[in-house]
Amino acid sequence: MKPAPFVRHVPRTLQQALAILSQVAGQDGRILAGGQSLVPIMAFRLAKPAHLIDINEVAGLDRLESDGKVLSIGARVRHAAFHAPVTDNRLAALLTYVARHIAHYPIRMRGTFCGSLAHADPASEWCLTAATLGATMVAMSQRGTREIAASDFFEGIMSTALADDELLAEVRLPLLTPDAKFGFYEFNRRAGDFAMAASLVTYSLVNGKMAQARVGVGGAEPSPRRIEEAEAALNGQSPDDDAFRAAAQAASDAVDPLEDHQTNAEYRRDLVRVVVRRALEHSLT
Amino acid sequence: MTAHTKGTGMKWVGRAIRRLEDPALVTGQGHFTADLPAEHWVRFVRSPNAAGTIDSIKAPDGAMLITAADLKAVKKITPMLHKFEYRPVGQSILADGIVRYVGEAVAAIVAPSEEEAEDIADLVELNIGATAPVVDARDALSAGAPQIHAEAPGNVILKGEVKTAGFDGVWTSAAKIVKVDARSHRQNATPMEARAAHAAYDKASGRVTLTCTTQMPHLMRTAIADLLGIAESDLRVIAPDVGGGFGQKMSLCAEYVLLVWLALRLKSSVAWTEDRRENLIASFHSRDQYIALEGAFDKDAKLLALRADVVSNVGAYSCFPTTSGVEPLMAMAEMPGPYDVQQYQCLARGVLTNTCTMAAYRGVSRPIITFTLERLMDKAAKAFHLDPVDIRRRNLIDKFPYTSATGLIYDEATYKQTLEMAVHEIDLPAFRLRQKEARAKGRYLGIGFATFSERTGYGSPAFAARGMAITPGWETVHVSVDPSGYVEARIGSSPHGQGLRTTLAQIIADELGIPPDLIKVVHGDTDTAPYGWGTFASRSLVISGGATLIAARKVRAKLIKIASHMLEAAESDIVLEDGAAKVAGTDRSVTVATMAREIYTQTHRFKGELEPGISESGTYDPPGTFSNACHIAIVELDPETGHVKVDRYLVAEDAGRIINPMIADGQVHGGIAQGLGNALLEEIVYDESGGILTANLADYMPPTAREMPHIELHHMETPSTQSITKAKGLGEGGTIGAPAALLNAINDALTPFGVEIDTIPATPQRIRAALRAAEQATKKSA
């Protein structure tokens, strides 16, 4: 359980990092940030990158700030940065609640928000967050900078729209309105394990009725996504048990479930139904 | 001298003193196999196919590749049983032409470092002509199934049958027959330290020292010397600190044999450290069984007869020394458990499959037979409209000694008393009220009981009864006092976490009047320890403890004789306490250190009446003694997800005299953690092609601290008459009781839904599947 041989590069500037990435992109060059997903799969030799570009010394990538519209999260920001609210916006409370479901404390001290998105594990809490809230990914390469919408970013299990020579330098999350409601629920067999299904929901209340509902489901399909059918079941309804159950059932019906040895399709649909309803119930607490 | 005990006359046995082995371990000063430097490192190339023939193996140019072709002079590992239609099958050290499971070692790469060995092994081209495998034991029994070994037609490696004389008559007269179809899926013992070995050749003596993580160093020496055709005296085996074994490390692994062969061939040192993936796919597995059990009851719910069909998946090869009879034969012998039932019929088969070889794992079969039998009792309680406690009261053994239907002799135990104690402590009426209130709110609580016997500390006759070619059983201990007055016990047992250095020192301390921290217990080195069988099967405290007591009593007698000479007093007037011999009722005394100095260096003073030195030996080979316990689990089951949370766990147990209560409690805690994993979480999953889907600790799920409930322990002490220390073993009880208690609790919680689950692990997917089927049936009928 030792990684295959690789060369580690330690750039100090973003330009150096992008230059090296451009050179080694063709040889399965990978970005190393927290290493909490990449290093284990290298140890199993499921990944054998010839080059690692360690960005832990790159200045400026630890940016974590809000401009009043979006929260910008740099490539070196660790999960643990969200253990306490990072702004007074409602989004910060959401991120703090979600963060404590990520793996275990030592992992949260090393792993990064952007690394989690670039890795694109179907069960990742941050991928679910990005997909649900409509994050914008800022991809940089020597060729330039481009922005990718979350709905275009996730392409499947551990697969994203990033090109081989692109670094996910920053992720921008839209801030929430002060009256926004959010709820989150995930199911796993042991504390800290990958979610077998997870849901994040947000909505506003207009005259006591739900509006702008977002219902995200993770861990159930190759990529996390918003479930329109469930959102439609909420918008215009009161936030009550009937509406929540209807949305949960709609989500369960809408997903095309991933299967594995501990979760067949029927069971995954059961779990989607449960996590969506419980996330909605959580929004009321 | 520990001041607070001086002159108090307090006994050391029975006290929760801290473990003498812990300071080194908790400060990182322990010695583990993988710490040793080596000139050469090995990486095994393992089969990606469950069945097939090896067409070619090609390593990169310049690599040192070892295959079966290099090992023609090495015998195959061929464990032997002389009973039960056992078919001996051999295992080559490296697969010889045929592969039989995913993970089987096919070749070895030898390189200057562990990393280089792995890199080169990665480049080995292995061409295997894959054939159809069979992974499930019932499939392997079916007509036309692939044959794993030509020597075992129909894939049956052994078959045990028993039927008591009066069985048929009783069976037909029964008021009710209750049945359970139990399934225990496959598990891995998952020791914290996976396997590791280091073999070093000594050019001066021509000997090889094998340091390895094992539970039985002497038997490793015997087996490996035999396979390689060398003198046992040319092989030294050391078990240094060992990070858990749980049975997985009591079997001989082919990898260790290869390491010794390589050290001899290279005249150098060579090492191998198993990684977790290898451990999960290629170290020994366990527990994979089907048991169909029927109980015949009279009209008063008294169990009259049991009929069992045990199908045990033993994997691709037989394990040494126990053979693959270890699971099915123990199931057959101990199925009746703690209940008074004199009529019994059983068919127990060990079935070969294209899966990793099965070996002992803490509890051996009894976690499964106890879970099966306890499910049967709960089903019977339902059938008779009785409380689960009542049906157990009607059937538990309460007259001793009791001879079971299979001829086992149960010594005095407290089956009924521990049940009553546990039921009292849990406050059953209060729980039933709480359960009722919770159900009204849509919350589902359940309570589960498990009463069981734990056969421990059995000597060689028990193994001989199985027809084993090798019958481990006795233990020898040498206790000596050196010229400085310090005491040393050399033992053949090989503790690896059980705290034996402490408990044996407590036993010696009471005999010699010396505190335990002045007593050294030496083990795990075939050059310094007497031949012994190691540590497994809840035996060491009973058997090695008994041998220790015998040897310590001889040392005590010698010290009294020496004191009698030196103090010119009658032996009957001498007492040993506070590190000295004293003449009772006087101020005359002589320290152990002075006596020891005299008997070694001033031997002439004893006028030829005493031999020089102080060194005595004790050997003990007891018949076995039964511990017992009642476990109660309270769970909350989430019917929407199938998740089970353990709210409360209570144990009332009796393991005879307790030498060190803290160590005893630790054994129960650890056992329950593994039992909880077996019951709820842990499962090695093979796909149809024989590939393993659970090859890491994210997919194979031992419980973590956060899944463990607080465990409440209550003790009774019934001193054993079958053990000279009066202690019974207790290493496996936690693992034995937990699956039964938890599955009964889950089924109690499921009662309102009308579904039952008789499979371990009871995963949330399985629980949901049962509930979903019931929901759909309700919808259809509505």
Side-chain angles (χ1 to χ4, degrees):
Chain A
M1 230 177 249
K2 305 281 184 288
F6 59 88
V7 179
R8 174 168 166 258
H9 306 268
V10 189
R12 306 282 159 163
T13 68
L14 185 58
Q15 280 317 311
Q16 285 173 2
L18 297 178
I20 300 165
L21 183 56
S22 151
Q23 285 164 22
V24 302
Q27 302 161 63
D28 197 19
R30 301 276 187 102
I31 302 292
L32 175 68
Q36 299 303 295
S37 300
L38 179 59
V39 172
I41 65 174
M42 287 170 61
F44 278 112
R45 297 194 174 213
L46 297 171
K48 298 178 189 176
H51 295 268
L52 287 185
I53 301 136
D54 182 342
I55 59 167
N56 286 288
E57 305 289 324
V58 174
L61 289 182
D62 53 353
R63 198 165 86 95
L64 177 59
E65 57 192 35
S66 162
D67 65 358
K69 288 181 186 160
V70 297
L71 177 70
S72 297
I73 303 165
R76 278 174 52 198
V77 174
R78 317 275 169 192
H79 307 314
F82 303 97
H83 278 162
V86 294
T87 76
D88 55 8
N89 183 265
R90 191 99 182 104
L91 173 65
L94 182 157
L95 296 174
T96 297
Y97 186 78
V98 170
R100 70 175 194 229
H101 293 82
I102 300 171
H104 303 278
Y105 188 84
I107 292 172
R108 296 198 293 271
M109 295 304 284
R110 289 293 306 168
T112 63
F113 184 96
C114 290
S116 179
L117 266 56
H119 182 64
D121 189 294
S124 154
E125 288 86 355
W126 287 146
C127 293
L128 170 62
T129 305
T132 307
L133 301 183
T136 300
M137 321 298 178
V138 181
M140 291 185 176
S141 71
Q142 277 204 313
R143 295 178 286 117
T145 298
R146 63 175 179 135
E147 296 184 356
I148 310 170
S151 54
D152 298 326
F153 182 77
F154 298 109
E155 295 188 339
I157 297 171
M158 295 178 194
S159 173
T160 69
L162 287 172
D164 288 346
D165 65 343
E166 282 182 318
L167 165 69
L168 180 59
E170 187 171 292
V171 173
R172 294 174 190 154
L173 290 174
L175 298 183
L176 299 182
T177 56
D179 65 336
K181 298 277 188 185
F182 74 84
F184 176 82
Y185 190 86
E186 76 171 40
F187 179 76
N188 48 26
R189 292 175 62 190
R190 293 181 305 183
D193 279 353
F194 289 108
M196 293 158 72
S199 179
L200 175 66
V201 300
T202 65
Y203 58 87
S204 306
L205 284 177
V206 179
N207 299 325
K209 307 289 185 190
M210 290 180 280
Q212 290 118 34
R214 288 170 180 260
V215 176
V217 170
E221 297 182 307
S223 300
R225 65 173 174 111
R226 289 171 62 182
I227 309 289
E228 286 173 28
E229 296 86 338
E231 293 172 354
L234 296 175
N235 285 326
Q237 303 296 317
S238 300
D240 58 23
D241 191 53
D242 287 347
F244 291 174
R245 283 182 188 275
Q249 187 61 47
S252 175
D253 292 341
V255 295
D256 181 12
L258 282 175
E259 295 193 79
D260 60 46
H261 69 89
Q262 58 170 337
T263 328
N264 59 22
E266 282 181 304
Y267 182 46
R268 190 85 75 186
R269 283 191 199 281
D270 285 348
L271 291 178
V272 169
R273 188 184 311 113
V274 175
V275 297
V276 170
R277 201 193 76 240
R278 290 184 184 176
L280 286 163
E281 287 168 356
H282 175 237
S283 73
L284 299 179
T285 59
Chain B
M1 190 66 43
T2 313
H4 66 274
T5 60
K6 189 175 168 70
T8 60
M10 247 180 100
K11 290 284 188 186
W12 288 99
V13 165
R15 294 173 56 189
I17 64 168
R18 289 189 181 175
R19 300 191 342 152
L20 302 176
E21 43 273 84
D22 282 347
L25 292 173
V26 301
T27 57
Q29 304 304 310
H31 296 287
F32 292 88
T33 301
D35 296 336
L36 294 170
E39 294 294 316
H40 304 275
W41 286 82
V42 169
R43 177 78 183 177
F44 289 95
V45 178
R46 296 185 180 277
S47 174
N49 298 97
T53 51
I54 301 168
D55 293 332
S56 65
I57 307 170
K58 191 170 174 297
D61 289 344
M64 189 193 295
L65 173 79
I66 309 296
T67 68
D70 300 300
L71 303 170
K72 294 294 181 200
V74 182
K75 287 190 226 166
K76 290 183 176 184
I77 300 172
T78 312
M80 195 59 210
L81 269 188
H82 297 298
K83 281 187 183 175
F84 305 112
E85 301 177 36
Y86 180 77
R87 310 287 178 207
V89 299
Q91 179 190 0
S92 305
I93 302 307
L94 294 169
D96 190 1
I98 297 173
V99 293
R100 293 187 173 87
Y101 66 94
V102 166
E104 181 168 9
V106 170
I109 289 292
V110 185
S113 72
E114 200 175 5
E115 292 80 357
E116 286 166 273
E118 187 166 352
D119 289 345
I120 298 166
D122 219 21
L123 299 172
V124 170
E125 290 172 27
L126 184 60
N127 290 308
I128 291 175
T131 57
V134 59
V135 296
D136 181 85
R138 284 185 173 170
D139 292 344
L141 286 174
S142 65
Q147 297 294 291
I148 313 301
H149 291 273
E151 297 85 347
N155 296 320
V156 176
I157 190 170
L158 70 107
K159 185 164 108 177
E161 286 181 279
V162 293
K163 188 174 181 181
T164 50
F167 180 84
D168 288 334
V170 168
W171 194 261
T172 47
S173 72
K176 267 192 175 59
I177 307 277
V178 179
K179 185 169 186 192
V180 55
D181 271 311
R183 171 75 169 118
S184 166
H185 285 279
R186 180 172 283 243
Q187 286 158 341
N188 178 298
T190 332
M192 188 86 80
E193 180 199 31
R195 295 179 296 170
H198 177 282
Y201 180 82
D202 178 51
K203 286 179 181 158
S205 64
R207 300 178 83 213
V208 172
T209 297
L210 172 69
T211 304
C212 60
T213 180
T214 179
Q215 296 173 234
M216 32 173 45
H218 278 94
L219 204 56
M220 291 298 118
R221 187 183 76 183
T222 297
I224 294 171
D226 179 45
L227 291 168
L228 298 180
I230 61 174
E232 280 203 46
S233 55
D234 281 340
L235 181 60
R236 174 185 187 184
V237 177
I238 296 175
D241 286 320
V242 169
F246 312 114
Q248 192 179 80
K249 293 179 185 167
M250 72 170 284
S251 289
L252 173 67
C253 30
E255 289 89 342
Y256 292 5
V257 182
L258 187 82
L259 268 277
V260 176
W261 181 87
L262 277 169
L264 284 165
R265 173 169 147 162
L266 300 171
K267 299 197 177 344
S268 184
S269 58
V270 55
W272 169 63
T273 305
E274 181 180 60
D275 66 33
R276 185 59 63 185
R277 181 173 173 274
E278 286 180 289
N279 183 264
L280 284 167
I281 70 170
S283 193
F284 299 98
H285 287 172
S286 52
R287 304 267 197 266
D288 190 345
Q289 277 185 35
Y290 292 94
I291 299 180
L293 180 67
E294 293 169 282
F297 293 82
D298 73 8
K299 62 179 176 32
D300 299 320
K302 172 76 185 66
L303 181 60
L304 303 174
L306 281 172
R307 182 159 77 187
D309 182 359
V310 177
V311 175
S312 176
N313 186 337
V314 304
Y317 297 99
S318 191
C319 56
F320 177 94
T322 57
T323 80
S324 47
V326 61
E327 287 267 343
L329 295 180
M330 187 176 274
M332 183 169 80
E334 301 195 21
M335 187 70 76
Y339 298 112
D340 172 27
V341 53
Q342 284 295 312
Q343 300 301 332
Y344 178 51
Q345 180 180 6
C346 182
L347 168 64
R349 284 170 290 177
V351 181
L352 293 156
T353 60
N354 291 110
T355 60
C356 180
T357 302
M358 181 220 61
Y361 173 22
R362 195 177 195 174
V364 182
S365 227
R366 289 161 301 179
I368 312 162
I369 59 178
T370 301
F371 137 66
T372 308
L373 185 59
E374 292 299 278
R375 287 295 304 129
L376 183 86
M377 295 313 272
D378 271 24
K379 285 172 195 272
K382 259 188 192 164
F384 284 98
H385 307 291
L386 286 175
D387 184 275
V389 177
D390 278 343
I391 196 157
R392 288 174 172 79
R393 281 182 185 131
R394 293 174 192 215
N395 286 291
L396 286 167
I397 296 167
D398 62 358
K399 290 191 174 55
F400 304 98
Y402 176 87
T403 303
S404 80
T406 58
L408 297 180
I409 297 169
Y410 290 52
D411 56 336
E412 189 173 349
T414 49
Y415 302 108
K416 285 189 174 170
Q417 296 91 326
T418 48
L419 172 68
E420 300 302 344
M421 181 187 227
V423 168
H424 172 75
E425 294 291 341
I426 207 85
D427 193 352
L428 189 55
F431 170 77
R432 290 293 184 202
L433 187 63
R434 194 155 67 84
Q435 182 181 40
K436 197 175 162 192
E437 289 168 356
R439 276 181 193 167
K441 294 178 195 155
R443 293 178 59 185
Y444 296 89
L445 307 181
I447 191 165
F449 303 86
T451 48
F452 62 90
S453 59
E454 179 187 1
R455 188 184 181 203
T456 71
Y458 38 98
S460 41
F463 293 95
R466 284 189 210 163
M468 283 169 63
I470 290 175
T471 55
W474 49 268
E475 280 298 335
T476 296
V477 170
H478 297 321
V479 177
S480 61
V481 184
D482 70 21
S484 68
Y486 280 77
V487 177
E488 184 178 83
R490 298 181 176 214
I491 67 172
S493 278
S494 195
H496 43 279
Q498 292 82 358
L500 219 54
R501 289 188 210 172
T502 307
T503 46
L504 297 187
Q506 287 178 268
I507 290 170
I508 296 168
D510 279 349
E511 290 304 309
L512 306 187
I514 289 173
D517 51 0
L518 300 184
I519 299 165
K520 291 191 174 54
V521 174
V522 175
H523 60 82
D525 182 343
T526 58
D527 271 11
T528 57
Y531 200 97
W533 298 100
T535 289
F536 57 91
S538 302
R539 68 191 297 273
S540 291
L541 188 64
V542 176
I543 306 180
S544 210
T548 297
L549 183 61
I550 290 168
R553 282 176 177 166
K554 291 181 183 171
V555 170
R556 174 189 173 81
K558 177 119 188 202
L559 287 172
I560 287 173
K561 280 198 169 71
I562 297 168
S564 165
H565 271 267
M566 293 179 70
L567 298 171
E568 296 176 340
E571 288 178 25
S572 57
D573 289 338
I574 306 283
V575 292
L576 293 178
E577 60 182 30
D578 305 335
K582 299 175 182 173
V583 182
T586 74
D587 61 356
R588 282 188 295 149
S589 73
V590 58
T591 66
V592 170
T594 302
M595 289 192 284
R597 182 72 67 174
E598 294 278 309
I599 196 72
Y600 281 96
T601 65
Q602 296 284 306
T603 319
H604 61 280
R605 295 193 180 185
F606 299 96
K607 301 164 186 144
E609 290 169 20
L610 288 177
E611 293 280 319
I614 309 171
S615 180
E616 301 290 347
S617 180
T619 294
Y620 192 46
D621 189 7
T625 177
F626 284 81
S627 290
N628 65 279
C630 175
H631 286 206
I632 300 180
I634 291 178
V635 304
E636 178 163 1
L637 184 146
D638 178 347
E640 291 189 311
T641 62
H643 186 70
V644 173
K645 180 174 172 292
V646 185
D647 274 349
R648 194 170 170 199
Y649 203 99
L650 188 144
V651 174
E653 62 99 43
D654 188 342
R657 173 171 290 169
I658 297 295
I659 308 295
N660 183 317
M662 180 189 72
I663 289 175
D665 288 0
Q667 283 278 18
V668 179
H669 285 147
I672 289 169
Q674 289 187 306
L676 182 145
N678 293 175
L680 303 178
L681 291 162
E682 297 178 39
E683 180 175 356
I684 296 280
V685 182
Y686 279 95
D687 64 20
E688 285 180 359
S689 69
I692 293 193
L693 304 177
T694 50
N696 59 61
L697 292 179
D699 292 320
Y700 186 80
M701 300 187 165
T704 73
R706 288 177 61 181
E707 281 66 59
M708 285 302 296
H710 171 70
I711 297 164
E712 301 167 48
L713 288 180
H714 302 274
H715 296 281
M716 300 189 85
E717 287 196 34
T718 304
S720 173
T721 56
Q722 304 301 308
S723 158
I724 56 169
T725 58
K726 300 181 171 45
K728 303 178 176 186
L730 51 50
E732 297 165 280
T735 330
I736 293 169
L742 288 164
L743 266 286
N744 277 340
I746 290 168
N747 280 289
D748 186 44
L750 286 171
T751 303
F753 301 94
V755 301
E756 293 186 307
I757 187 151
D758 296 322
T759 297
I760 53 173
T763 61
Q765 175 169 243
R766 291 194 173 105
I767 291 171
R768 266 305 303 161
L771 286 166
R772 198 184 308 109
E775 287 160 12
Q776 283 162 2
T778 310
K779 269 184 202 162
K780 267 186 194 162
S781 66

